[in-house]
Amino acid sequence: MGNGTRPAEHRAHEDSRYEAVRSRDGRFDGAFFFAVETTGIYCRPSCPAITPKRHNVRFFATAAAAQGSGFRACRRCRPDAVPGSADWNVRADVVGRAMRLIGDGVVDREGVAGLAGRLGYSARQVQRQLTAELGAGPVALARAQRAHTARVLLQTTGLPVTEIAFASGFASVRQFNDTIRAVYAATPSELRAAAPARDRAGSRRAATPSAGIPLRLAHRGPYQAGPVFDLLQHEAVVGVEEVSGPPGRRVYRRTLRLPYGTGIVAVDERPGSPATGSGGWLDARLHLTDLRDLTTSVQRLRRLFDLDADPYAVDERLGADPRLAPLVAARPGLRSPGAADPDELAVRALTGRTEAERLVQRHGKTLDAPCGTLTHLFPEPAVLAGAEPDGAPGRLAAALAGGAVRLDPGADRDDAERALLAVPGVDLRTAAVVRTRALGDPDVAPPGPAVPDTWRPWRSYALNHLRAAGEWEQHR
């Protein structure tokens, strides 16, 4: 432990977690998990079941750690469906970067060696750091994610079990069956039969990949969907994106280039999210040419809509500022939107919407099966670099294609910003937008009027409040 105070601090920390469990506090869903030794089940803090006795409870940082200790997921509160910990988006260290990469499916596609290579560490170092802090290594964390993906497919589609096994990232049907039994204490068929009524109805409607996969993208706390959809509507690039419907009931649709294929995703606006309560969700539907891209596409939507944020921590900090307090009270849970495709976002931040639309029409790949106004994928960096090598967009695309600028979920934010500013034509404003949106940095202050340090570590959110209130653009 190191010194005499640490055991006491640890006990106090776990006691505070138990109080969250006893009060069924949804603010902590995803921040930690608790398991009950007498039942062998692990839950989210807000689980509605009878609160277990303190001496029977163990706490875990991740669902994978609980599973690795032999506990299975609660069928009542479905702890695997909670929003991800906000720490993984906020933290810039190797653990935070690793968790973002694992969420993007890197371990499934490239193995632990690929994950370690992207982080600049050895596989042994990554294993040691993740296990020490989270109680589970990269393989176990990826396994937990695959199990969740499999449950979603089992309970919301009518796809054959064998197809689901490989779509979820499992190497074999046997591995899939063993994992489902270990995590959920049920066979795949039993898990499908136990689906809630709304999911069984979705399964009947979504019997094939072409019909799309219906999902509920969970978030914690209040969520201001209106400003997010306002921004997406303002920025929408024709051919790649569209926002339709009246305010409050809009639908955002876009195309995605994914590791194994392409996708078209649709997300519904949900008005009137309450300022209190454990959270809610956004309804989405994914049309994928290859179901192996499900996990990656979901994570990219979560980053775009900032669904893993901790609005309680943000609002508490910013609400203490006299200037921001009335804005926070008017829009509790305001988010800082990210990007569905970081490389695309970087080019668009540099060029603006009109020029981005020209690039799409001239160099974007036409979809094999266009869907309404969605006809293209945004140009790949390598294609754009080769087609227009002399302009600023082409130079940035070349840096992205060649790896001089890395904007993947595990990129080091400071290194990425330095690399961006080394590209001719990329200024401080563009770099700040990319750092905020593509890299998900919650604490970015763009060039211009001074932004108070008292808004740290949530300056990106503070500026979104000012923009939503019409108080920031006038300074630019």
Side-chain angles (χ1 to χ4, degrees):
M1 286 289 184
N3 61 61
T5 63
R6 290 186 179 178
E9 291 173 354
H10 179 71
R11 286 194 297 273
H13 181 58
E14 293 210 336
D15 287 344
S16 68
R17 286 182 164 184
Y18 183 72
E19 288 303 314
V21 170
R22 191 164 66 174
S23 60
R24 298 180 173 84
D25 195 332
R27 293 178 298 173
F28 296 95
D29 284 355
F32 70 88
F33 300 84
F34 76 94
V36 185
E37 292 184 330
T38 53
T39 63
I41 291 173
Y42 77 92
C43 304
R44 62 170 79 186
S46 66
C47 183
I50 296 173
T51 304
K53 294 179 180 179
R54 173 67 183 87
H55 63 268
N56 290 328
V57 173
R58 292 175 59 185
F59 297 99
F60 296 94
T62 61
Q67 294 167 15
S69 293
F71 294 97
R72 61 185 184 275
C74 174
R75 296 184 185 180
R76 187 169 182 180
C77 71
R78 299 205 290 187
D80 61 327
V82 300
S85 172
D87 280 352
W88 314 142
N89 289 336
V90 172
R91 289 172 55 167
D93 63 1
V94 66
V95 173
R97 292 164 58 204
M99 289 299 287
R100 292 194 291 273
L101 284 169
I102 292 169
D104 200 55
V106 166
V107 171
D108 291 337
R109 296 192 300 272
E110 304 174 19
V112 176
L115 172 69
R118 286 172 177 257
L119 295 170
Y121 287 79
S122 70
R124 181 175 296 180
Q125 288 173 312
V126 173
Q127 174 76 30
R128 184 170 59 248
Q129 291 196 49
L130 290 176
T131 302
E133 185 159 346
L134 305 179
V139 172
L141 291 162
R143 175 178 178 264
Q145 183 168 269
R146 288 195 294 270
H148 170 62
T149 300
R151 183 185 65 74
V152 169
L153 289 173
L154 284 167
Q155 297 189 335
T156 63
T157 78
L159 295 170
V161 169
T162 301
E163 190 170 344
I164 288 174
F166 295 105
S168 305
F170 289 97
S172 69
V173 174
R174 179 177 179 178
Q175 185 189 69
F176 164 72
N177 288 332
D178 291 345
T179 298
I180 295 300
R181 289 192 186 97
V183 173
Y184 299 108
T187 66
S189 297
E190 290 170 343
L191 193 61
R192 169 168 275 170
R198 64 172 174 82
D199 289 345
R200 289 198 299 272
S203 175
R204 289 191 294 270
R205 292 192 302 269
T208 65
S210 61
I213 301 168
L215 296 171
R216 284 186 167 183
L217 305 175
H219 61 78
R220 62 174 55 80
Y223 188 91
Q224 296 291 327
V228 176
F229 277 76
D230 288 345
L231 177 67
L232 295 176
Q233 188 163 22
H234 175 73
E235 293 180 341
V237 169
V238 173
V240 172
E241 298 171 292
E242 69 170 15
V243 179
S244 59
R249 296 194 300 275
R250 288 172 288 189
V251 178
Y252 171 75
R253 300 171 68 240
R254 70 155 294 144
T255 63
L256 284 176
R257 177 181 291 105
L258 297 161
Y260 296 106
T262 62
I264 293 177
V265 299
V267 181
D268 296 345
E269 180 181 12
R270 286 177 62 87
S273 177
T276 59
S278 60
W281 65 87
L282 298 180
D283 288 309
R285 186 171 288 270
L286 280 63
H287 298 260
L288 305 173
T289 59
D290 192 317
L291 284 176
R292 290 177 295 174
D293 286 321
L294 176 61
T295 295
T296 300
S297 57
V298 168
Q299 290 301 316
R300 294 185 183 181
L301 287 177
R302 297 194 67 81
R303 287 195 291 273
L304 174 61
F305 287 90
D306 196 21
L307 296 175
D308 293 320
D310 183 351
Y312 303 106
V314 176
D315 290 358
E316 180 180 14
R317 179 73 170 183
L318 300 183
D321 181 88
R323 180 182 181 186
L324 296 177
L327 306 184
V328 172
R331 297 180 180 86
L334 186 69
R335 296 310 208 263
S336 180
D341 185 321
D343 290 353
E344 172 190 319
L345 186 283
V347 173
R348 290 170 58 171
L350 178 65
T351 65
R353 176 179 174 178
T354 301
E355 176 64 7
E357 290 179 347
R358 184 189 72 83
L359 295 176
V360 167
Q361 294 303 315
R362 181 165 294 186
H363 308 299
K365 180 181 177 181
T366 303
L367 292 178
D368 293 336
C371 183
T373 65
L374 302 181
T375 57
H376 289 75
L377 297 171
F378 198 84
E380 291 185 82
V383 170
L384 188 55
E388 302 197 6
D390 298 325
R395 289 191 288 268
L396 174 57
L400 292 166
V405 175
R406 275 190 53 208
L407 301 178
D408 63 71
D412 181 280
R413 290 163 178 162
D414 291 337
D415 289 347
E417 183 174 19
R418 284 190 290 268
L420 279 167
L421 292 173
V423 176
V426 176
D427 58 13
L428 289 170
R429 186 203 68 83
T430 301
V433 172
V434 173
R435 182 160 183 155
T436 303
R437 300 283 302 278
L439 296 173
D441 192 334
D443 192 37
V444 176
V451 176
D453 282 344
T454 54
W455 294 354
R456 288 181 179 271
W458 308 114
R459 290 180 296 175
S460 300
Y461 290 84
L463 295 178
N464 278 331
H465 274 291
L466 294 176
R467 291 189 185 100
E471 298 182 19
W472 179 255
E473 297 296 335
Q474 62 187 1
H475 297 300
R476 292 183 53 186

